[in-house]
Amino acid sequence: MMETAALSPGCGVEVKGVSLAEAQGERLDAIRDLIYRHGVAVFRDQSVSPEEHIAFANRWGGIDINNYFPLTDEHPEIAVVRKTEDQTTNIGGGWHTDHSYDQVPAMGSILVARTLPPAGGDTLWAHMGAAYESLPDEMKTKLEGLEAFHTADHIYAPDGLYAQTDQGTALRGQELKTGATHPVVIRHPQTGQKLLYVNPGFTMHFTGMTREESLPLLQELFAHAMKPQHQCRVEWKPGTVAIWDNRTTWHYAMNDYQGHAREMHRITLSGEALAA
Ligand SMILES: O=C(O)CCC(=O)C(=O)O
Ligand SMILES: [Fe+2]
């Protein structure tokens, strides 16, 4: 029997009674729907080998190969999100939406915990449907028809954010150029829910405005979206798997476990173009 419990009133769901390694058919469709609506689903006590991780992702749909993260030697489909005990910078340690810099952004990811610190290293998600819904009506009106430009170049380029940290050498794809324009408010491709689709990691400016002109409104939206009531938090345990929807959520990987290693296996799921 599949059972569910909300992680917080605004975001996330824990799913019990499911073995992801075996989930398919109607069971998989039910899981899919939960993730589209709640933004992120957490599954505990899973036993998922790299092969089963890939097989599940293929049953879900297409796999996107991330351009930046190191890949496992045996399985190029699996990206490694790693912080060694000697590194001080982590991956994803700020609010962001993966792949918003792609014109056809990845739908989401399946993250499997492989090595965990003794404490800390939680991941936070924030629900952009809840964030949109709680905006004042005047703001909703103001956002109608607005589009924004997203890129990852300031993060991953040779003079980007990570290059200045001890994560720099582990990353690939520094020569890539990215850029995409999306509506500021999108409709979820499957549920039709209205979602705020700008994020502090990759959204640079509104179309037709400079960065400087855009920043006051962007920062107002970011501050609103990251309010605690839109968030949920996942404490990883051995066997924990999280699957999230990039359209519905932002996420943030806590970097509060200095001196300890943390390693996650990530498969990125393909998505579709986004529309208002
Ligand atoms: O390590 C995590 O919890 C998430 C890191 C991240 O941002 C990602 O895998 O996209
Ligand atoms: Fe991320």
Side-chain angles (χ1 to χ4, degrees):
M1 254 282 285
M2 188 165 97
E3 284 177 51
T4 62
L7 293 183
S8 80
C11 182
V13 63
E14 176 157 351
V15 184
K16 293 184 189 146
V18 165
S19 163
L20 288 176
E22 290 153 88
Q24 55 181 307
E26 280 176 23
R27 178 54 62 93
L28 178 56
D29 289 341
I31 293 170
R32 228 190 268 276
D33 191 58
L34 284 169
I35 293 163
Y36 293 153
R37 289 175 196 286
H38 295 269
V40 55
V42 180
F43 305 83
R44 302 290 188 184
D45 304 314
Q46 299 291 312
S47 156
V48 182
S49 69
E51 290 75 16
E52 288 167 333
H53 193 179
I54 294 167
F56 177 84
N58 280 325
R59 289 199 295 280
W60 181 292
I63 295 176
D64 275 11
I65 310 279
N66 182 284
N67 287 324
Y68 303 109
F69 299 157
L71 307 174
T72 56
D73 295 335
E74 308 78 18
H75 305 286
E77 298 93 337
I78 299 178
V80 183
V81 178
R82 176 191 290 134
K83 182 173 179 247
T84 65
E85 56 186 21
D86 306 319
Q87 286 174 311
T88 58
T89 304
N90 73 336
I91 297 286
W95 285 113
H96 67 282
T97 301
D98 295 341
H99 291 258
S100 73
Y101 47 81
D102 290 332
Q103 200 56 58
V104 181
M107 174 269 141
S109 280
I110 310 167
L111 199 64
V112 177
R114 294 296 182 202
T115 304
L116 292 171
D122 295 357
T123 307
L124 282 65
W125 278 267
H127 197 293
M128 291 303 116
Y132 176 77
E133 201 39 55
S134 60
L135 284 171
D137 285 343
E138 316 81 79
M139 181 61 93
K140 288 181 181 160
T141 307
K142 191 172 175 177
L143 299 182
E144 264 173 44
L146 273 188
E147 296 191 323
F149 176 77
H150 303 241
T151 179
D153 297 357
H154 58 296
I155 309 276
Y156 294 112
D159 57 352
L161 185 131
Y162 280 126
Q164 291 159 46
T165 72
D166 54 11
Q167 282 286 352
T169 50
L171 294 169
R172 303 153 41 241
Q174 294 195 328
E175 70 293 343
L176 291 171
K177 287 270 175 277
T178 58
T181 299
H182 305 287
V184 168
V185 179
I186 57 163
R187 287 230 178 234
H188 190 280
Q190 283 78 34
T191 67
Q193 186 178 17
K194 280 189 160 186
L195 307 163
L196 187 63
Y197 195 72
V198 289
N199 70 87
F202 303 117
T203 311
M204 305 311 291
H205 60 83
F206 299 105
T207 304
M209 286 165 75
T210 64
R211 169 112 175 124
E212 207 181 12
E213 288 163 349
S214 304
L215 270 179
L217 179 55
L218 275 178
Q219 275 163 357
E220 189 181 345
L221 293 173
F222 295 160
H224 171 81
M226 68 177 74
K227 283 180 186 161
Q229 63 264 35
H230 305 138
Q231 296 179 20
C232 59
R233 181 172 184 133
V234 172
E235 186 183 341
W236 297 89
K237 306 239 163 56
T240 301
V241 177
I243 308 178
W244 71 87
D245 182 325
N246 284 325
R247 292 80 54 93
T248 315
T249 55
W250 292 354
H251 58 277
Y252 184 123
M254 294 291 293
N255 185 15
D256 55 357
Y257 51 96
Q258 298 302 351
H260 300 282
R262 179 176 180 275
E263 184 169 315
M264 317 296 268
H265 277 184
R266 185 179 121 174
I267 294 184
T268 309
L269 298 164
S270 309
E272 53 259 81
L274 303 173

